Amino acid sequence: MISFLRGTVAHVGLSSAVIDLNGAGMSVNATPQTLSRLQIGEEGKLFTSLIVREDSLTLFGFTSDDEREVFDVLLSVSGVGPRLALAVLAVHEPEAIRVAAHTGDSKTFTKVPGIGPKVGARIVLELAGKLVPHGTAGSPAPAPSQESVWKPQVVAAMTSLGWSEKDANASIDKALDDSPGTSETGNVAEILRTTLRWLGQDGARAGNRVGSRG
């Protein structure tokens, strides 16, 4: 495994750079922030992650070991490849990603181009417990709230059925007001069924929903 590269910067492009290692040029993909720190003709150092495919070997470079660690953990999420993981790091600092994953804040991830509500919800679900904020000495990181974990997933399920995100959020809140205790289970399927049942029992809303679809 290639852990890092140190050499003369031979080229800096829009999405990659070339590091000259004693006459051998190594191409490395990186975020705009990382590339902006490299100066042609000067020495540069990048922490790296090597992605091996059947037909290619691709290096991704980072300014810190923390960035590389977050990148590698993001790759463990189903449907998240190296390009999308790099895009997340292009938008957010590693600590912000750690906090979002730890607290179940899927909206942080949906700010990244190419990540919608469903993928954002899946990321926080699959990263639970894998990324923990560094925090400060003596100050434990905040624990994620139950609602921040299950609600994005229920909203994503409802938007896939045709509801807007605004209507989905409002319906979930009202349905759970009528069924106290359901939200405490954190069971996505149960909360979704409760919400859909509430919508079906409310004749006016059901009628309006059918009308809006027509």
Side-chain angles (χ1 to χ4, degrees):
M1 177 181 177
I2 303 175
S3 296
F4 70 87
L5 298 178
R6 188 199 300 272
T8 303
V9 179
H11 171 76
V12 178
L14 295 176
S15 60
S16 64
V18 176
I19 307 297
D20 185 344
L21 304 176
N22 298 319
M26 300 289 286
S27 179
V28 188
N29 294 279
T31 66
Q33 297 94 312
T34 296
L35 294 171
S36 69
R37 295 183 175 94
L38 301 176
Q39 300 296 323
I40 295 176
E42 296 184 3
E43 184 181 79
K45 178 181 177 180
L46 294 175
F47 293 88
T48 57
S49 180
L50 179 63
I51 304 300
V52 180
R53 297 285 186 263
E54 289 184 2
D55 58 349
S56 67
L57 297 174
T58 308
L59 270 177
F60 290 84
F62 312 92
T63 56
S64 68
D65 193 43
D66 190 33
E67 281 190 355
R68 178 177 61 186
E69 180 183 353
V70 171
F71 174 83
D72 288 339
V73 174
L74 283 169
L75 293 180
S76 70
V77 178
S78 57
V80 175
R83 300 292 178 183
L84 192 55
L86 198 65
V88 174
L89 282 164
V91 175
H92 300 296
E93 293 291 328
E95 186 67 4
I97 297 170
R98 289 178 177 278
V99 171
H102 187 63
T103 59
D105 179 13
S106 64
K107 289 186 178 180
T108 291
F109 295 101
T110 59
K111 293 177 182 177
V112 179
I115 296 181
K118 291 181 183 178
V119 176
R122 185 167 69 244
I123 289 175
V124 297
L125 178 65
E126 295 189 23
L127 289 186
K130 294 182 179 179
L131 285 178
V132 179
H134 292 310
T136 55
S139 299
S145 66
Q146 273 198 328
E147 181 174 326
S148 67
V149 175
W150 61 255
K151 195 167 188 179
Q153 299 174 64
V154 179
V155 170
M158 291 188 67
T159 55
S160 70
L161 294 173
W163 275 270
S164 68
E165 185 173 340
K166 179 180 178 181
D167 288 343
N169 275 293
S171 298
I172 293 167
D173 292 340
K174 292 176 181 177
L176 294 180
D177 282 343
D178 288 351
S179 301
T182 303
S183 62
E184 296 176 6
T185 67
N187 187 306
V188 174
E190 183 179 348
I191 295 170
L192 177 60
R193 283 195 297 269
T194 298
T195 304
L196 295 177
R197 201 161 44 236
W198 179 85
L199 285 165
Q201 289 173 350
D202 188 318
R205 282 188 184 78
N208 290 337
R209 190 69 205 159
V210 172
S212 65
R213 288 183 176 179

